[in-house]
Amino acid sequence: MEFFKKLKVVPRWLIVLIDVLIIFHAAFFAFFIRFNFDLSLVDRFQILPGVIAFSLLSVVSMLLTKSFVGIVRHTNLSDLANMMKMLALSQVLLFLIKQANQTFNWFDSGYLLPFSVALIASLLAFPLLLGYRLLVRELYQYTQYIRHKDDIKKVAIYGAGEAGLLTFNALTGNSADKRLPVAFIDDDPKKVGKLLQGKHIFLGLDGLKKAVEKLGVQEVVIAINKIESSKKRAIVDACLEMGIPTKIIPPVQDWFNVGLKAKDIRDIRIEDLLSREEIVLDKENVKESISGKVVLVTGAAGSIGSELCRQLLHCKPALLLMLDQAESPLFDIDQELSSSFQQIKRKAILADIRNKNRMMEIFATYQPQFVFHAAAYKHVPLMDTYPEEAIRTNLFGTKILADVSCFFKVDKFVMVSTDKAVNPTNVMGATKRAAEMYVQALDQHMNQKNSSNQTKFITTRFGNVLGSNGSVIPLFKKQILNGGPVKVTHPDVTRYFMTIPEACQLVLEAGVMGLGGEIFVFDMGQPVKIVDLAEKMIQLSGKKVGRDIEIEFSGLRQGEKLFEELLNHFELVKETYHPKIKIAQVSPSDFKRVNAEVKLFKKLLEEGSEMDVVKHLKKMVPEFISNYSRFEKLDKEGKLLN
């Protein structure tokens, strides 16, 4: 036993020696089997020389097939195939030598094994060669378990399919990993009661509980290639109820070419539980529309903008222009993409969308055909503190880009909006709604003029994206890491969530399908209670709510509302060819009126107060009713005037 504890890799010479000894004894015994243990018949042959000659031929076959180079404790199907090749080659070499000896009569043919004996010897040797390798593997795993018994975690693998088997191999094949699979869990009743890699398969969540009770499971790894979000949540909830950590394998496309490693198995993140069923999009249609075009992305260094850039590069545009006024983040995304997409032209442009002359210069130089406008100020309390800056960027920045796009006859202008533009209760949402009104009115205005090659203006509207800069999830993670408390504004506040890649896919799809003037609304699934989100994140970190980490309610912030909406009371939706993308049927505003109201902001920003600016914003967006803000008094004044 001590030998196996100290020996990590069996030397190749020792493997060759053991293999030869097995083949030698198999060949020797094959004589007696071939002649039914009749010693009188066996004595007619030169047994020892024949066995030695066959063993030497096997050594030559081993050298040619490299059947001895595999690490014994990692024996797999490839090693199995090499052993079969080695034994088959021994038969071929024996046949060639026999044929040559018949021609040249080099030595007595009795020194060579009969073919029937050689075949029996190979059939005997194969299970023995395989068996001792498997025995060494089991002994090694057992000694590793004994040595690290106190440190090893017992793991149940949820999924008894191909991914589960690969996960098992990844965990058992890494001696540095202190996890030992002791059971498989699967939802297929046909697999229940069977063994996989010597481990019992239990049925579903009830089976998981049995495995925990009987085998002392301390961790669960979800190993299913395509798992429904609802099923994933059910598994995690069951594990949290039992106080067992849950991990998951990455998507198969992330490790298919290099193989699954134990280090790739990661903790369950809250994003895994919030994500909805995968939205399948027509990527080929998007790729065909973008391929060979010059595409401009504003806000390219932000969460949405940077992911748009990544996805657009897969569509192989002729040139991708990445525009942002944040120097360091723009540099970072440019460096990231330079290593991944070396063959596709792109240019990082440091510029401010509020500078019309600079925008004219950029459009004149590069002649973009698609514009994806993701640049915006988005933090609600900060924009209520600085409403003038929200107007300058979210409204005037959009107007400048839209006007310049019209001037240079851009094919499509896709604006990224937000659910906070619906019945806004804050300055940020109201400025985004005003920007929506401007681009929609401009699209109708250009239609009425019957301009040739006019720009098509499209708006996309969705809620919170998981993990975006400044979003609640990174904030909660930081608070949990610091030991709490986790601060939630209100016990009833809810939000819609979707992943950044999913949001960007929908933006691209809407941009391609849009004919101009639409406001596309995305299916955000069910809203999530933020306090439930906080509790789940605390539990996933291995802590107990109220014991290890407290949740504190800090009160709604400036302009914040309890519930977000994707449509206001007057908006209806129209179906598109994609069930997850709908069109909000909003009556477009008159361009002359909207343009005049936007222009008035310029004078107010120069000469008026912030109250004057917000008052005019409320006039332009009548549904803008402030909440938990100093601007609430403007709503009261308006009621008195009415």
Side-chain angles (χ1 to χ4, degrees):
M1 190 65 71
E2 283 299 315
F3 174 77
F4 285 106
K5 285 183 180 180
K6 294 177 183 177
L7 194 63
K8 290 189 176 180
V9 178
V10 180
R12 290 180 178 179
W13 65 265
L14 183 57
I15 296 173
V16 172
L17 178 61
I18 295 172
D19 286 356
V20 170
L21 286 172
I22 286 173
I23 291 170
F24 178 88
H25 286 91
F28 199 89
F29 195 62
F31 262 107
F32 295 94
I33 294 176
R34 167 64 181 81
F35 297 107
N36 201 25
F37 294 92
D38 188 338
L39 297 180
S40 62
L41 294 175
V42 173
D43 286 342
R44 292 163 41 201
F45 295 90
Q46 300 281 347
I47 298 178
L48 187 60
V51 169
I52 292 173
F54 185 69
S55 299
L56 291 174
L57 288 177
S58 298
V59 172
V60 174
S61 299
M62 289 177 201
L63 294 173
L64 292 173
T65 60
K66 306 289 184 185
S67 63
F68 56 90
V69 300
I71 298 175
V72 174
R73 69 173 187 269
H74 295 317
T75 297
N76 54 31
L77 289 175
S78 177
D79 299 313
L80 187 74
N82 277 338
M83 282 188 283
M84 294 176 70
K85 289 176 187 175
M86 180 268 291
L87 292 170
L89 183 59
S90 300
Q91 302 287 329
V92 172
L93 291 175
L94 179 64
F95 172 77
L96 293 175
I97 290 173
K98 274 181 171 287
Q99 292 298 108
N101 192 50
Q102 285 180 2
T103 303
F104 300 105
N105 198 27
W106 291 326
F107 49 81
D108 185 352
S109 61
Y111 288 121
L112 296 174
L113 289 184
F115 281 125
S116 58
V117 174
L119 180 61
I120 294 170
S122 295
L123 293 174
L124 284 174
F126 181 72
L128 294 172
L129 292 170
L130 176 62
Y132 99 78
R133 282 167 165 79
L134 295 177
L135 179 63
V136 170
R137 188 174 78 174
E138 291 301 315
L139 282 172
Y140 178 82
Q141 290 177 3
Y142 178 72
T143 55
Q144 288 296 105
Y145 174 72
I146 294 298
R147 286 177 65 190
H148 305 288
K149 188 176 180 180
D150 296 334
D151 301 326
I152 284 177
K153 264 186 186 175
K154 293 181 179 180
V155 175
I157 298 173
Y158 206 111
E162 185 179 352
L165 184 59
L166 291 170
T167 303
F168 181 93
N169 293 335
L171 291 173
T172 56
N174 182 3
S175 58
D177 193 271
K178 300 297 186 292
R179 286 176 288 184
L180 177 68
V182 295
F184 285 91
I185 317 294
D186 203 275
D187 296 318
D188 185 355
K190 295 176 183 176
K191 295 180 181 178
V192 177
K194 296 182 179 179
L195 295 177
L196 181 61
Q197 295 287 16
K199 310 301 177 186
H200 283 282
I201 301 175
F202 294 82
L203 178 62
L205 296 178
D206 290 335
L208 175 59
K209 291 176 183 177
K210 288 179 185 176
V212 171
E213 292 169 3
K214 290 183 178 180
L215 304 175
V217 170
Q218 298 163 287
E219 185 178 286
V220 173
V221 177
I222 300 174
I224 303 174
N225 280 336
K226 290 185 178 180
I227 180 169
E228 293 179 355
S229 295
S230 57
K231 184 63 185 178
K232 195 189 306 177
R233 285 193 291 270
I235 296 170
V236 173
D237 286 343
C239 290
L240 289 175
E241 189 180 329
M242 294 183 286
I244 297 173
T246 316
K247 297 187 181 291
I248 193 167
I249 63 171
V252 66
Q253 62 267 22
D254 293 351
W255 52 265
F256 181 77
N257 292 325
V258 294
L260 181 65
K261 305 287 192 303
K263 64 181 178 61
D264 297 328
I265 300 170
R266 61 169 177 80
D267 292 329
I268 282 280
R269 296 192 288 254
I270 193 66
E271 293 91 329
D272 298 314
L273 305 182
L274 291 178
S275 59
R276 295 163 289 107
E277 305 311 324
E278 183 182 3
I279 294 179
V280 180
L281 298 170
D282 187 358
K283 293 182 180 179
E284 287 304 314
N285 188 31
V286 173
K287 187 174 181 179
E288 186 179 328
S289 299
I290 298 297
S291 179
K293 302 288 178 63
V294 178
V295 182
L296 169 66
V297 177
T298 71
S303 306
I304 295 293
S306 59
E307 180 60 25
L308 277 173
C309 290
R310 294 183 192 98
Q311 294 193 20
L312 283 165
L313 285 171
H314 284 292
C315 299
K316 298 182 179 178
L319 173 64
L320 177 64
L321 304 170
M322 304 181 298
L323 188 148
D324 207 295
Q325 54 84 32
E327 176 202 7
S328 294
L330 182 62
F331 176 81
D332 291 340
I333 186 64
D334 187 41
Q335 290 297 301
E336 175 199 324
L337 298 179
S338 65
S339 58
S340 305
F341 300 94
Q342 296 178 358
Q343 306 302 318
I344 302 172
K345 290 182 181 179
R346 72 188 187 288
K347 184 171 182 62
I349 301 174
L350 189 64
D352 190 337
I353 61 170
R354 300 183 298 186
N355 186 333
K356 185 172 183 178
N357 291 335
R358 183 83 170 99
M359 293 302 105
M360 290 289 288
E361 176 190 326
I362 291 166
F363 275 66
T365 303
Y366 299 105
Q367 299 290 321
Q369 295 156 286
F370 273 80
V371 173
F372 289 91
H373 175 38
Y377 282 149
K378 66 176 185 176
H379 293 288
V380 169
L382 206 55
M383 292 304 97
D384 259 46
T385 305
Y386 302 103
E388 298 97 331
E389 293 305 312
I391 293 289
R392 289 189 178 99
T393 297
N394 294 354
L395 181 52
F396 275 114
T398 301
K399 172 178 163 51
I400 288 169
L401 279 169
D403 292 346
V404 173
S405 294
C406 274
F407 183 83
F408 286 96
K409 298 187 184 301
V410 169
D411 293 342
K412 285 189 177 180
F413 180 102
V414 183
M415 174 186 164
V416 176
S417 189
T418 169
D419 58 359
K420 292 175 179 62
V422 180
N423 296 323
T425 59
N426 51 70
V427 169
M428 191 282 283
T431 55
K432 293 295 282 185
R433 175 59 192 140
E436 285 183 1
M437 292 166 64
Y438 183 81
V439 297
Q440 197 180 22
L442 180 58
D443 185 87
Q444 186 186 52
H445 177 65
M446 297 305 291
N447 268 327
Q448 290 171 349
K449 289 177 64 176
N450 293 319
S451 304
S452 59
N453 301 322
Q454 72 177 51
T455 302
K456 296 178 178 65
F457 289 92
I458 299 147
T459 299
T460 59
R461 188 191 283 172
F462 53 90
N464 298 275
V465 286
L466 296 169
S468 62
N469 296 329
S471 71
V472 70
I473 289 175
L475 180 62
F476 283 175
K477 284 180 180 176
K478 188 175 180 181
Q479 291 172 348
I480 292 168
L481 193 62
N482 292 334
V486 174
K487 294 184 179 181
V488 179
T489 57
H490 192 281
D492 295 326
V493 69
T494 64
R495 292 292 180 266
Y496 290 98
F497 287 99
M498 71 186 339
T499 65
I500 294 174
E502 186 180 40
C504 292
Q505 286 180 52
L506 288 167
V507 169
L508 294 177
E509 183 81 14
V512 168
M513 75 163 69
L515 302 175
E518 304 100 334
I519 295 179
F520 286 100
V521 180
F522 300 158
D523 178 359
M524 297 291 295
Q526 294 300 313
V528 177
K529 236 182 171 183
I530 299 301
V531 68
D532 293 343
L533 177 68
E535 288 176 355
K536 191 67 64 92
M537 288 183 69
I538 292 169
Q539 291 175 311
L540 287 174
S541 71
K543 308 290 185 183
K544 295 286 185 182
V545 179
R547 188 189 73 184
D548 303 315
I549 293 180
E550 298 287 343
I551 293 177
E552 288 185 2
F553 297 106
S554 56
L556 291 173
R557 301 171 299 172
Q558 287 188 77
E560 190 173 20
K561 53 168 131 171
L562 285 175
F563 313 104
E564 301 288 9
E565 307 155 277
L566 291 171
L567 297 165
N568 68 33
H569 306 306
F570 308 106
E571 294 176 348
L572 299 174
V573 292
K574 185 171 68 173
E575 301 292 326
T576 68
Y577 64 76
H578 197 289
K580 299 294 183 182
I581 305 177
K582 301 184 178 5
I583 299 172
Q585 293 185 300
V586 184
S587 299
S589 305
D590 177 69
F591 177 73
K592 288 184 179 179
R593 181 182 66 80
V594 172
N595 194 36
E597 288 179 339
V598 172
K599 285 181 178 178
L600 184 55
F601 275 116
K602 188 171 184 181
K603 183 179 179 182
L604 291 173
L605 288 171
E606 292 173 355
E607 301 174 5
S609 65
E610 67 170 17
M611 285 293 176
D612 294 329
V613 170
V614 176
K615 187 175 182 179
H616 183 59
L617 183 59
K618 287 177 178 291
K619 180 185 175 185
M620 184 176 177
V621 184
E623 63 269 30
F624 171 25
I625 307 295
S626 295
N627 198 24
Y628 292 92
S629 168
R630 64 189 184 282
F631 301 123
E632 287 181 71
K633 65 180 183 180
L634 295 174
D635 301 319
K636 293 174 184 176
E637 289 174 7
K639 286 180 182 178
L640 290 173
L641 288 173
N642 292 331

